[in-house]
């Protein structure tokens, strides 16, 4: 693996975990008012598209990377709905 | 361009604009308490890495896609710092 491929592999790994700090902060703070639900819905649909693309290309890196990001996006969608619902209860 | 490549191009375009709903919501609401600054710092560093990777590979799609996402990430970092600072002023 040369330097350029190593850079691509590291960048890909970081891309996979980009949403993680937001998931951790949201679980800790239990507050979602400022967070865009639409962003995470678009992200989830996008990752599903990349997973289909990776499957059609038999590219396991694309499949696994986007499967992890999809899990993080779905987690944020769940947290956004759960904590928004919790706040609206009397 | 066959179906698979079209899927990749559309997925790439959507990836580019994933952060846009959050930028719009933050500009509208002017509230950033729930937003993870670390996520957007990691995203910005990550996109810079992808831009270097794209340059080394002479791949304009990777360069342009990540340049747009980098602008959105830097916008969110600015908004997070600006609206956090504004709230702490007496």
């Amino acid at each position: 693996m040369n330097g350029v491929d190593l850079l691509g592999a590291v960048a890909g790994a970081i891309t996979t975990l980009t949403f993680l700090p937001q998931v951790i902060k949201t679980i800790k703070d239990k507050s979602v008012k400022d967070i865009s639900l639409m962003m995470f819905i678009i992200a989830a649909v996008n990752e599903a598209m990349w997973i289909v693309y990776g499957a059609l290309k038999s590219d396991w890196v694309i499949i696994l990377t986007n499967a992890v990001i999809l899990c993080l996006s779905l987690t944020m969608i769940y947290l956004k709905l759960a904590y928004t619902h919790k706040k609206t209860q009397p």
Side-chain angles (χ1 to χ4, degrees), chain A:
Chain A
M1 182 184 273
N2 64 30
V4 178
D5 292 335
L6 181 63
L7 175 62
V10 171
I14 294 176
T15 300
T16 305
L17 300 175
T18 300
F19 285 156
L20 192 56
Q22 183 66 67
V23 172
I24 293 169
K25 178 176 172 59
T26 302
I27 290 172
K28 215 176 61 182
D29 298 354
K30 293 186 173 43
S31 177
V32 290
K33 182 177 68 61
D34 303 330
I35 293 168
S36 164
L37 177 63
M38 183 52 71
M39 175 169 87
F40 286 104
I41 290 173
I42 289 175
V45 169
N46 192 218
E47 280 118 32
M49 291 173 75
W50 280 121
I51 290 169
V52 170
Y53 178 80
L56 292 172
K57 293 260 185 179
S58 309
D59 186 324
W60 277 99
V61 172
I62 291 180
I63 295 170
L64 291 177
T65 301
N66 286 279
V68 172
I69 309 173
L70 178 58
C71 290
L72 292 173
S73 299
L74 294 175
T75 303
M76 279 308 302
I77 292 169
Y78 167 76
L79 293 174
K80 171 76 177 180
L81 297 176
Y83 292 142
T84 304
H85 179 65
K86 206 176 241 176
K87 284 234 166 133
T88 53
Q89 282 184 316

